[in-house]
């Protein structure tokens, strides 16, 4: 679990939750549609910019945990 540069950790709790759901949905969709490659997402601006885990961002960790299992289904 880490934080992205999509949204500062200082944003409101509900905004962080919405971002967690959106990021999770993106990753699930990438996994579903990446059958032609041996990986799902990359750690560049092509898919995301992952800055690693930092335990001081407790509000981000909490937002991810509180939205665990929630994603947006695409058909």
């Amino acid at each position: 679990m880490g934080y992205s540069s999509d949204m500062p950790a200082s944003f409101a709790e509900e905004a962080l939750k919405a971002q967690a759901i959106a990021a999770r949905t993106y990753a699930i969709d990438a996994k579903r549609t990446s059958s032609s490659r041996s990986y799902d997402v990359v750690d560049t601006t092509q898919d995301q910019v992952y800055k690693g885990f930092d335990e001081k961002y407790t509000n981000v960790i909490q937002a991810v945990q509180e939205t665990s299992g929630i994603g947006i289904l695409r058909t």
Side-chain angles (χ1 to χ4, degrees):
M1 199 177 334
Y3 67 103
S4 76
S5 60
D6 294 328
M7 179 176 289
S10 61
F11 273 33
E13 177 184 355
E14 293 303 311
L16 293 172
K17 287 180 182 180
Q19 177 60 31
I21 292 168
R24 186 177 299 113
T25 299
Y26 181 87
I28 290 168
D29 190 57
K31 182 175 177 115
R32 185 174 58 91
T33 59
S34 69
S35 61
S36 65
R37 12 181 242 207
S38 61
Y39 54 89
D40 302 324
V41 294
V42 295
D43 62 351
T44 68
T45 55
Q46 177 182 335
D47 285 320
Q48 61 184 343
V49 180
Y50 179 70
K51 292 191 172 185
F53 177 77
D54 192 332
E55 63 187 26
K56 73 180 179 184
Y57 293 109
T58 57
N59 56 338
V60 174
I61 295 166
Q62 181 176 345
V64 171
Q65 290 172 340
E66 288 183 12
T67 63
S68 178
I70 300 172
I72 301 166
L73 285 176
R74 289 180 39 165
T75 56

